[in-house]
Amino acid sequence: MININTHPGFLFYNFLQLLGIYGIYQAEIEKPQPYRLSDKESIVQRMIPSKTGMLIIYVPAVVVAVILQMILPAITSSYASTVPGWMLLAHFIKRCGEVLYLHKYSGETNLDAARFIGYSYASTTLSISLVSSPS
């Protein structure tokens, strides 16, 4: 017998995973990448300043962690903040602080790569927080 978890948090997380998969392959569906770049024109990549790219990578995880650690426990009694969630919030706030005040950036970052990594960090933060929640 197959046991399917129907908890709304897990269903929502699975929905987010499907959105991520859709986003990853959407560009491939619209404009397939050639097997060899010599066969077609070179692929144009959208580049952004590295500092902006790093913020695109880290800020979504901060937003998810703030929602799960501060907002959600305040509005519902069915979810409690967790130690791993607080650690993730502190980690990504620290990373944003490093981007804004510590590191010096001079290059560029691929926008699509930064968005994918940012989505990955945010969904991992969501997953860890949901799995470590005692409720």
Side-chain angles (χ1 to χ4, degrees):
M1 180 174 198
I2 297 174
N3 184 11
I4 298 173
N5 189 338
T6 58
H7 185 277
F10 287 103
L11 294 176
F12 180 68
Y13 181 69
N14 287 333
F15 174 74
L16 289 179
Q17 286 179 320
L18 289 174
L19 281 180
I21 291 169
Y22 173 78
I24 291 168
Y25 293 107
Q26 184 62 33
E28 184 69 23
I29 292 168
E30 291 176 0
K31 184 180 177 187
Q33 181 175 344
Y35 290 109
R36 293 181 299 171
L37 289 179
S38 61
D39 292 344
K40 306 254 181 184
E41 71 279 354
S42 64
I43 297 171
V44 177
Q45 297 181 355
R46 294 176 286 181
M47 303 302 284
I48 56 173
S50 292
K51 187 174 192 174
T52 304
M54 296 307 285
L55 289 173
I56 290 171
I57 288 172
Y58 295 129
V59 169
V62 171
V63 171
V64 169
V66 164
I67 290 170
L68 292 173
Q69 295 307 114
M70 297 176 166
I71 297 173
L72 199 55
I75 61 174
T76 181
S77 61
S78 64
Y79 181 83
S81 59
T82 63
V83 172
W86 284 112
M87 293 172 69
L88 287 164
L89 178 59
H91 171 73
F92 286 114
I93 287 175
K94 176 188 76 81
R95 296 303 293 254
C96 288
E98 291 172 355
V99 169
L100 293 171
Y101 303 110
L102 181 62
H103 299 299
K104 305 290 184 220
Y105 295 96
S106 60
E108 293 183 319
T109 301
N110 181 308
L111 175 61
D112 292 332
R115 288 192 320 202
F116 175 73
I117 296 168
Y119 173 80
S120 173
Y121 284 175
S123 63
T124 301
T125 298
L126 176 66
S127 175
I128 290 171
S129 296
L130 289 178
V131 169
S132 63
S133 178
S135 48

